[in-house]
Amino acid sequence: MSLLRQPMLWLILGAMALFAGLPGFGGDVALREGLFLTAIAIILASNLNLMIGYTGYVNFGNIVFFGLGGYFGVWLTTMHGWPLVPAAIVAAILVSTIALFFGLGILRLRGSYFTLATIGINEAVRALVSNIDAWGGSTGMYLSVSVYQPLGGPRQALWIVYFLVIGIMGASLFLSWFIRRSKFGLGLFAIREDEDAASVLGVHPALYKSVIYSVSGFLPAMAGALFFFKNGVIQPDQAFDLTMSTEAIVMLMLGGQGSVTGAAVGAFLYDQLRSTLLTSSMFSQFQLVIAGILLLLIVLFVPGGLIGWIGERWPRLRRVLE
Amino acid sequence: MFGVIASMVDGLLLGAVYGLAAIGLTLIWGVMNIINLTHGALIALGMFGVYFLTARVGGSPYVALLPVAVLGFVAGLAIYGLSVHRVIARPPLMSLLSTFAVNMVIIGAGTAFWSTSIYNLPFSVPGITWQGFTFTGAHMLAAAVAVVVAGALYLFMRHTRLGKAIRAVANNRQAAELMGIPSGRILAVAFALGVALAAVAGGLIATLFPFTVLSGSGYQLKSFVVTVLGGLGNPAGALVGGLLLGLIEGGVTPFIAVSWTPVIEFVLFVLILIAFPKGLFARGAAR
Amino acid sequence: MTALLEVTDLSIQFGGLRAVSEVDFSLAEGEILGLIGPNGAGKSTIFNLINGVLPPSSGRILFGGVDITGWAPYRVVRHGLARTHQIVRPLNDMSVLENCVVGGCFGRDNLTLAAARHKAAAVIEEVGLGEHRAVLARHLTIAHKKRLEIARALCANPRLLLLDEVLAGLNPTEVARMIEVLKAIRRQGVAILMIEHLMQAIMSLSDRVMVLNFGRKLAEGTPAAVVNDPAVIEAYLGTPDAAHKLAGEG
Ligand SMILES: Nc1ncnc2c1ncn2[C@@H]1O[C@H](COP(=O)(O)OP(=O)(O)O)[C@@H](O)[C@H]1O
Ligand SMILES: [Mg+2]
């Protein structure tokens, strides 16, 4: 049972190496920008999978973690002159703490009631942040070029942020994998199947749900801090965009909820599809329409997503792809 | 002081329209336990329906509501058949996603055809000015129409065979089927009715404010708030919830910046959802 | 001898219905107590009260000398009191083995994943689900789902097991097989409180029997004494079917 003999370990490390190496060696900036967005998508989808796929709670407002992380990160780096990495970590800790607090309230709700509450929380936070003058209100905050100086100027800073995001992407996948094989993960699966039965079997649902909700916010918050640092500006409507929330769900469905690779593969495919559609002269106008049709077809006919479908065809691969 | 009261009255007028929009959402929830995420898109389609019927064809926007309602009903049947029927018995995520997918298609197509620029209905209704405060004519008419439509729906649900069948299915689908009510057809009709109400409400909103293809999503969120205030699945509660929301909006506007109203609304939304998941007016225990 | 489970003055009110009313009983270490009574008497509700699914309106539940009244279900099972459900509740999209591993991991011994797998494998053999261990729980037959309920509960290594109609809906062969399983459990020293309609099983397994009617305790004693109790017979005459059963087999 050595860790080194687990295919998943090498899958994740391989993905990280490809993401870092492909643009890294050639210095291909366009490729880097494309993969940067894909990596962000993988981070969002695989952490959302902890809630939807593992625990069975549909968090429609998951983007609130990303947005709040961005705000805390930008605030600490620009207003308080913090270095990027500590700022991102503290942002993530703050967001996870807030999530724990939110979770204690809304995780008493089940099914669609919970989903509505997550939408409400995202909108409440968006509205609140739009009123915080210290954070620039509805116009947001702009970063001055000087914040990139400690990282060796803007050009080098973009590369550094990129590699950090790849690191978080890897961390997200490892987190999903470890939880999946842990006792904690088993408790989550039991809650997903039947929360009351799980409780009768000894799982503490309230505790488990609060912890996973909080954990599922940590890495997206870090990613948000890095994303908006690189972006140079953060605004409420961009940071708390429900469309991004729902796109993360679409990615999860596309790849297959509940598995480590499903979230990643779905995010990758969706992001490739989106950029292909956006750059095509014929379809750029109809990107949403095509994505919508795709989602409907998946929900109706392949609810297990790509990985679920593969697992049914070739049961042996199921173990490898987890 | 009079300004506050006047602002609250105007809030009530708008609240009636919010209520009408939310009735469509809550009706569908009550009958089939599905949150219809095409709601906002249909509100937007209702806006454009009224716009094109009045600006291009001519005539009063209030008359245009009738064909918009019919088109909304037909669209509702189509959406039900396409995306809802098959997922009704599956976990909530599936119906959320299938209706959201249709929403993406509608909004995507709408954006492609009409862009996201601002549209405005070219019409005006004289208002009433009293003590220096103007009650907009369009607001009063919209509220009146909303109340009439809600009343008609109430009568329909109480006194027609179809309405009673819908209520029976909402109460207990299995029992209704045992009594010989074709629940599949009833579900389709109820869904279409909910969608038609959204379209009509959208058409009414178009008579009040400028709009874009994307405006629907904001009113969808408002409908969520109203629905939760009034109790998910409770159409009468939705109208009261709408009035309440309008009253809150109107009541706070004179005192704080407009940008704070959504904060109040959504904080209230989450708190009520946690404390009273069955709504403020539910009889008996909340859970 | 101190009792393992001691229930005093247990009651619950559902709106106008007093489903369980001032029930007292106790159960010794290693004992099997049968709980019988017509449908709707409040038997399953007593289980729900004991393991914390429902909070009692009044009354006290001592388990191993500890007051567990009002504890959440997950705390109760960790303390060594496991149960099955009358209407089975398998974790559908998990395998038989995984279902049982959940029982072991979160039960009294708080096992690690590896230890729980070990334990689960053994228990699965014991209840005769060995060849189905990799099957998803949703694909089991009802008889096998009932066995899974028991296996899951046993993995928690309980001191007391509450069994809610585990024989209902099984054919005679399955019943005989299940009775063997229950006897094996008793030999391990686990106390059992079992709800059962099948008198043959109650008579052959129980040390004592308690009868419940309209939420109240009607009689209690050795199986033979209880079936001959006039009050019990009268209660069962209200439901001819059950009376027939009682007369035919008692
Ligand atoms: N959670 C509940 N809410 C309301 N009534 C209940 C609840 N649980 C059980 N009851 C009622 O309590 C009575 C006893 O039920 P139960 O304990 O299941 O009977 P049985 O002896 O057949 O197991 C029944 O009338 C049932 O309808
Ligand atoms: Mg029972």
Side-chain angles (χ1 to χ4, degrees):
Chain A
M1 274 308 271
S2 145
L3 189 69
L4 292 178
R5 277 200 270 141
Q6 301 290 324
M8 184 59 72
L9 173 77
W10 300 105
L11 275 177
I12 296 175
L13 289 178
M16 289 176 72
L18 278 180
F19 269 69
L22 281 181
F25 285 117
D28 186 340
V29 172
L31 181 62
R32 182 196 70 197
E33 291 303 294
L35 288 179
F36 177 75
L37 292 179
T38 308
I40 294 280
I42 291 178
I43 294 168
L44 293 180
S46 78
N47 283 284
L48 182 61
N49 189 31
L50 301 177
M51 282 304 290
I52 296 184
Y54 287 13
T55 320
Y57 274 72
V58 181
N59 183 354
F60 241 87
N62 57 78
I63 203 67
V64 72
F65 302 139
F66 182 74
L68 264 186
Y71 263 98
F72 283 128
V74 169
W75 177 61
L76 289 172
T77 46
T78 57
M79 305 283 181
H80 296 274
W82 284 38
L84 176 62
V85 172
I89 292 174
V90 168
I93 292 172
L94 287 173
V95 168
S96 275
T97 311
I98 293 173
L100 202 57
F101 174 74
F102 284 155
L104 287 178
I106 64 172
L107 284 162
R108 305 191 322 164
L109 302 168
R110 294 193 188 178
S112 304
Y113 290 88
F114 172 79
T115 301
L116 277 181
T118 59
I119 295 176
I121 283 196
N122 185 59
E123 293 308 305
V125 170
R126 179 224 298 258
L128 184 67
V129 166
S130 307
N131 281 293
I132 299 179
D133 291 333
W135 284 1
S138 58
T139 47
M141 284 185 277
Y142 291 80
L143 286 86
S144 73
V145 185
S146 64
V147 300
Y148 300 120
Q149 286 316 321
L151 297 179
R155 267 175 91 187
Q156 198 178 328
L158 294 186
W159 280 104
I160 292 176
V161 170
Y162 176 70
F163 291 127
L164 287 173
V165 164
I166 299 308
I168 295 176
M169 177 187 88
S172 298
L173 295 173
F174 277 118
L175 180 71
S176 284
W177 183 40
F178 289 148
I179 291 181
R180 195 184 155 78
R181 328 190 86 219
S182 71
K183 193 168 151 175
F184 179 61
L186 185 70
L188 296 178
F189 291 148
I191 291 173
R192 176 190 70 192
E193 294 301 317
D194 182 340
E195 189 165 338
D196 297 322
S199 171
V200 168
L201 290 171
V203 181
H204 188 339
L207 178 70
Y208 272 55
K209 290 188 297 180
S210 304
V211 169
I212 196 63
Y213 183 70
S214 170
V215 165
S216 77
F218 192 87
L219 291 169
M222 267 182 100
L226 295 173
F227 179 89
F228 288 104
F229 179 83
K230 174 173 178 289
N231 200 33
V233 52
I234 183 166
Q235 289 166 336
D237 288 346
Q238 191 190 7
F240 305 105
D241 184 2
L242 265 186
T243 314
M244 262 178 97
S245 256
T246 34
E247 274 182 336
I249 299 179
V250 177
M251 296 168 191
L252 202 51
M253 289 300 296
L254 181 61
Q257 45 166 326
S259 71
V260 179
T261 44
V265 169
F268 183 82
L269 289 179
Y270 183 84
D271 214 61
Q272 295 309 307
L273 178 77
R274 180 173 56 188
S275 47
T276 312
L277 290 180
L278 275 180
T279 49
S280 128
S281 58
M282 200 157 114
F283 293 122
S284 65
Q285 289 254 295
F286 291 94
Q287 180 225 340
L288 257 186
V289 178
I290 292 169
I293 293 173
L294 180 71
L295 174 61
L296 187 60
L297 292 177
I298 294 171
V299 171
L300 293 182
F301 303 111
V302 209
L306 186 64
I307 298 297
W309 183 78
I310 291 177
E312 265 170 38
R313 301 264 134 150
W314 298 283
R316 259 183 227 169
L317 274 177
R318 195 182 309 171
R319 297 284 311 276
V320 180
L321 297 173
E322 294 199 65
Chain B
M1 189 57 212
F2 180 75
V4 179
I5 293 173
S7 164
M8 284 168 85
V9 170
D10 194 50
L12 273 179
L13 297 178
L14 291 181
V17 180
Y18 298 158
L20 185 67
I23 288 177
L25 193 69
T26 209
L27 177 72
I28 291 173
W29 170 268
V31 176
M32 56 201 95
N33 275 33
I34 277 177
I35 295 178
N36 171 24
L37 291 182
T38 68
H39 188 71
L42 262 295
I43 289 179
L45 285 186
M47 292 167 165
F48 278 88
V50 166
Y51 175 82
F52 284 110
L53 285 171
T54 47
R56 303 284 161 85
V57 182
S60 157
Y62 302 105
V63 178
L65 287 175
L66 213 61
V68 161
V70 174
L71 289 175
F73 190 86
V74 174
L77 287 179
I79 295 171
Y80 179 86
L82 210 62
S83 70
V84 178
H85 185 66
R86 264 180 252 235
V87 294
I88 254 182
R90 308 243 305 264
L93 175 63
M94 296 302 165
S95 54
L96 282 169
L97 287 180
S98 70
T99 54
F100 181 72
V102 174
N103 175 72
M104 283 166 84
V105 173
I106 296 175
I107 296 297
T111 310
F113 294 136
W114 304 317
S115 79
T116 53
S117 48
I118 299 176
Y119 287 72
N120 228 322
L121 270 192
F123 97 117
S124 70
V125 185
I128 300 172
T129 303
W130 196 56
Q131 303 239 338
F133 197 92
T134 305
F135 295 97
T136 325
H139 288 199
M140 290 188 288
L141 271 176
V145 173
V147 170
V148 167
V149 173
L153 179 75
Y154 179 81
L155 292 178
F156 168 78
M157 296 290 269
R158 290 267 141 192
H159 298 293
T160 65
R161 275 181 73 92
L162 192 54
K164 286 178 188 165
I166 291 178
R167 278 169 45 222
V169 171
N171 250 327
N172 187 336
R173 200 181 307 162
Q174 267 100 31
E177 270 169 20
L178 288 178
M179 283 164 17
I181 298 174
S183 75
R185 218 176 306 160
I186 296 297
L187 291 176
V189 169
F191 189 89
L193 203 57
V195 165
L197 285 168
V200 170
L204 277 181
I205 295 169
T207 66
L208 307 176
F209 305 111
F211 57 90
T212 75
V213 181
L214 307 177
S215 300
S217 71
Y219 290 102
Q220 172 170 306
L221 286 170
K222 260 197 210 308
S223 295
F224 286 157
V225 178
V226 169
T227 310
V228 164
L229 282 175
L232 274 166
N234 176 358
L239 190 61
V240 181
L243 294 174
L244 198 60
L245 183 72
L247 205 59
I248 295 171
E249 283 189 10
V252 300
T253 329
F255 302 106
I256 57 173
V258 196
S259 59
W260 278 97
T261 33
V263 182
I264 296 174
E265 277 173 23
F266 285 109
V267 169
L268 210 60
F269 170 75
V270 175
L271 290 182
I272 291 177
L273 203 48
I274 294 171
F276 308 100
K278 298 274 181 302
L280 287 180
F281 316 115
R283 258 175 288 156
R287 41 177 62 240
Chain C
M1 185 185 67
T2 58
L4 176 62
L5 179 73
E6 198 169 337
V7 172
T8 18
D9 189 34
L10 192 65
S11 302
I12 188 166
Q13 188 91 20
F14 294 125
L17 173 76
R18 205 163 175 81
V20 174
S21 190
E22 295 156 20
V23 169
D24 300 286
F25 69 92
S26 67
L27 193 150
E29 201 96 41
E31 187 182 359
I32 296 190
L33 176 62
L35 178 52
I36 62 173
N39 272 328
K43 305 180 297 293
S44 298
T45 304
I46 287 191
F47 277 19
N48 286 338
L49 294 170
I50 293 176
N51 95 314
V53 169
L54 293 170
S57 307
S58 71
R60 207 162 68 122
I61 300 155
L62 289 183
F63 179 65
V66 179
D67 188 346
I68 60 164
T69 319
W71 282 22
Y74 66 88
R75 264 185 92 192
V76 174
V77 63
R78 286 173 181 205
H79 202 64
L81 201 167
R83 74 169 284 181
T84 68
H85 298 93
Q86 180 180 353
I87 297 161
V88 291
R89 301 186 77 153
L91 305 171
N92 272 321
D93 280 332
M94 294 164 76
S95 69
V96 166
L97 183 69
E98 284 167 327
N99 267 268
C100 293
V101 172
V102 173
C105 272
F106 301 97
R108 176 150 75 112
D109 297 340
N110 199 20
L111 300 175
T112 62
L113 268 178
R117 269 194 208 111
H118 236 84
K119 168 110 193 173
V123 171
I124 288 172
E125 285 303 330
E126 207 178 304
V127 303
L129 280 176
E131 47 192 283
H132 303 287
R133 53 185 276 176
V135 175
L136 288 188
R138 70 159 68 251
H139 295 142
L140 294 177
T141 62
I142 183 71
H144 287 158
K145 281 180 182 167
K146 295 230 162 182
R147 281 190 211 176
L148 177 59
E149 284 277 335
I150 297 183
R152 250 177 11 181
L154 279 178
C155 283
N157 190 22
R159 297 164 70 193
L160 170 60
L161 193 55
L162 310 183
L163 300 177
D164 197 343
E165 301 198 18
V166 287
L167 301 178
L170 305 193
N171 66 36
T173 338
E174 290 163 345
V175 167
R177 178 80 183 73
M178 187 69 96
I179 287 180
E180 287 316 306
V181 170
L182 298 183
K183 282 183 174 158
I185 295 170
R186 175 168 60 179
R187 280 196 294 276
Q188 296 164 11
V190 180
I192 296 178
L193 173 57
M194 61 184 294
I195 298 174
E196 201 47 68
H197 281 305
L198 211 59
M199 288 313 290
Q200 159 215 351
I202 286 283
M203 301 297 285
S204 69
L205 284 168
S206 313
D207 299 310
R208 279 187 307 134
V209 177
M210 173 166 101
V211 187
L212 207 67
N213 195 22
F214 295 117
R216 291 187 174 275
K217 187 162 93 175
L218 194 64
E220 184 180 355
T222 63
V226 163
V227 262
N228 293 317
D229 186 324
V232 176
I233 294 174
E234 197 188 315
Y236 270 80
L237 284 178
T239 52
D241 189 33
H244 181 245
K245 251 190 221 163
L246 200 65
E249 299 171 25

